Amino acid sequence: MILLKGVRKSYFIGEREIEVLKGVDLVINRGDFVILMGVSGSGKTTLLNIIGLLDRKTEGEFLFMGYNVDGLSDDILAKMRNRHIGFVFQQFFLLPYLNALENVLIPIIYSDKKIKNPRERAKELLERFGLKDRIYSKPSQLSGGEQQRVAIARALINEPDVILADEPTGALDSNTGFEIMDLFRILNEEGKTVICVTHDPKVKEFGKRVLRIEDGIISEDFKN
Ligand SMILES: Nc1ncnc2c1ncn2[C@@H]1O[C@H](COP(=O)(O)OP(=O)(O)O)[C@@H](O)[C@H]1O
Ligand SMILES: [Mg+2]
């Protein structure tokens, strides 16, 4: 599903080049539940953003859903993201002036996928995530855990192939964080591919596979 071979990524700050990824080799298969660990600044977000077509590698080979995406325009990449990927972030990124249901429906606006009865589907997802009484609430009226469940529903509305989560528990207390990870575990059991970045060692128990990024490469790759 996702293949990286010798992937490098540098940032330039003025004249100075910082190489964050120094040759990442990685294959992620459909149905996998990957936890990507590493200390702060190790390049987890950089790697996830490359996999999620939000950023481009500097060198190496990268296939997403079997496609070489190197030459594709930003517009095409945005379409591919919308079609194939559900994103979940530490800070939820819900729109404050929309209610939970409207937030979940946002990806539908940009979608060329035919999703049947999106409004019903959005309600079902929210109900399933224990938010039946919160469907018309604004983000400011919701707890952190509730907001993250809305964000996960939004990530799922377009029926993506893969969920990419960057520190999804980072803004939550540990119990709420575990509930969120358990939700990912259930979604994975139902067949969704999940890639979750964290620097929290307690979160790694939830994955089927744990990767560690260190000094710009994958230094550990083991099955749970
Ligand atoms: N847009 C950018 N421009 C310059 N440097 C960046 C940029 N994004 C990240 N970096 C640097 O790359 C390194 C890895 O960052 P990041 O991938 O965010 O790490 P992590 O998510 O593991 O904390 C850090 O040293 C960070 O400062
Ligand atoms: Mg990060």
Side-chain angles (χ1 to χ4, degrees), residues 8-167:
R8 293 173 175 267
K9 173 70 181 179
S10 300
Y11 292 111
F12 283 91
I13 300 181
E15 298 274 276
R16 213 160 67 90
E17 181 179 0
I18 306 174
E19 195 170 48
V20 179
L21 304 181
K22 302 178 180 172
V24 170
D25 297 320
L26 182 58
V27 174
I28 296 172
N29 294 311
R30 209 173 264 283
D32 223 340
F33 186 174
V34 175
I35 304 281
L36 177 62
M37 306 271 306
V39 297
S40 178
S42 58
K44 302 181 297 297
T45 295
T46 300
L47 178 56
L48 198 74
N49 286 351
I50 291 171
I51 292 171
L53 313 178
L54 287 166
D55 200 355
R56 294 171 192 265
K57 67 186 164 56
T58 316
E59 265 181 63
E61 190 184 345
F62 169 46
L63 300 179
F64 178 82
M65 307 290 296
Y67 291 100
N68 181 341
V69 295
D70 287 354
L72 301 181
S73 69
D74 290 348
D75 279 358
I76 301 279
L77 290 181
K79 285 215 170 78
M80 287 183 76
R81 284 198 297 275
N82 182 276
R83 174 166 280 270
H84 296 292
I85 307 172
F87 289 97
V88 179
F89 301 97
Q90 176 172 356
Q91 298 301 340
F92 325 131
F93 292 132
L94 301 176
L95 294 182
Y97 48 87
L98 299 181
N99 66 35
L101 178 63
E102 291 161 343
N103 266 287
V104 174
L105 285 167
I106 290 172
I108 293 287
I109 302 168
Y110 303 100
S111 177
D112 51 11
K113 244 182 186 175
K114 287 276 167 288
I115 304 293
K116 267 192 225 150
N117 304 323
R119 220 182 143 79
E120 284 316 302
R121 187 174 145 70
K123 281 187 181 169
E124 275 166 28
L125 283 167
L126 288 169
E127 282 181 27
R128 197 185 151 197
F129 295 166
L131 297 168
K132 191 175 176 19
D133 300 331
R134 296 283 184 270
I135 288 177
Y136 302 106
S137 300
K138 297 276 170 67
S140 63
Q141 299 168 310
L142 302 175
S143 70
E146 288 170 338
Q147 290 185 63
Q148 193 60 299
R149 280 180 274 155
V150 174
I152 295 170
R154 179 184 58 189
L156 290 167
I157 190 76
N158 267 345
E159 298 176 343
D161 297 290
V162 56
I163 296 175
L164 301 183
D166 194 350
E167 309 264 8

